[in-house]
Amino acid sequence: MTHEEMDELFERHCAAEAANDVAAIMATLTDDVEHDAVGDPQGTLRDPAAIAQRYRDLFDAISEDKMESVHRYYGEDFFVDESHWYGRATGTFLGIPGGNRPIDFRILHVCEVRDDKISRENVWLDTAAIVQQLTAPV
């Protein structure tokens, strides 16, 4: 894939996430995708139903206002996107009640691509920043 094609794929993926559209998210992933949300107790998932549920659980916990890409790096069959995420913790996130608090944090996606889809998604969140915001006095 070209860099532009990777950008378009990731933009579709992120737009689907922002819209809480699990079907559209899953359409950007290969059938045998490896989904790794680093630190998630479920570990790396490969079952599409489990991945879809991970997204539904995420959407119950947080609501995105915007995500801004800061840097993007490319290889022949992968890209790395460093972004800043802004939104609200509407439910329990990382085991902490969100109380509808605004939160923002850095997020890193490391994605492998194959057949015009994401074949591996590895997501890193700045959990220290999230925990600090969710546990700070109101």
Side-chain angles (χ1 to χ4, degrees):
M1 293 180 76
T2 67
H3 296 179
E4 292 78 15
E5 290 168 331
M6 289 184 208
D7 288 346
E8 191 275 330
L9 171 62
F10 193 59
E11 294 307 317
R12 280 190 294 120
H13 182 82
C14 292
E17 285 184 351
N20 295 357
D21 187 340
V22 175
I25 293 167
M26 298 305 291
T28 65
L29 307 175
T30 61
D31 292 338
D32 63 345
V33 66
E34 180 180 309
H35 195 267
D36 181 17
V38 175
D40 187 317
Q42 298 177 81
T44 302
L45 301 178
R46 291 175 180 81
D47 175 52
I51 295 166
Q53 186 59 50
R54 173 180 272 167
Y55 277 108
R56 284 190 287 277
D57 293 343
L58 180 65
F59 299 148
D60 287 342
I62 59 176
S63 175
E64 180 180 324
D65 291 332
K66 66 179 175 178
M67 188 170 81
E68 296 175 331
S69 183
V70 177
H71 297 286
R72 194 165 296 158
Y73 308 94
Y74 304 92
E76 184 176 323
D77 60 354
F78 73 91
F79 64 89
V80 177
D81 180 83
E82 175 189 349
S83 291
H84 202 106
W85 189 97
Y86 302 86
R88 293 194 164 273
T90 54
T92 299
F93 188 42
L94 302 180
I96 304 167
N100 203 37
R101 285 184 180 211
I103 56 172
D104 67 273
F105 53 89
R106 293 172 60 195
I107 182 169
L108 186 74
H109 288 86
V110 181
C111 297
E112 294 177 21
V113 294
R114 175 174 33 85
D115 301 327
D116 299 324
K117 292 187 176 187
I118 297 169
S119 59
R120 181 173 187 274
E121 182 178 15
N122 179 256
V123 183
W124 299 76
L125 307 177
D126 183 351
T127 55
I130 296 165
V131 169
Q132 181 180 28
Q133 292 169 69
L134 293 180
T135 59
V138 178

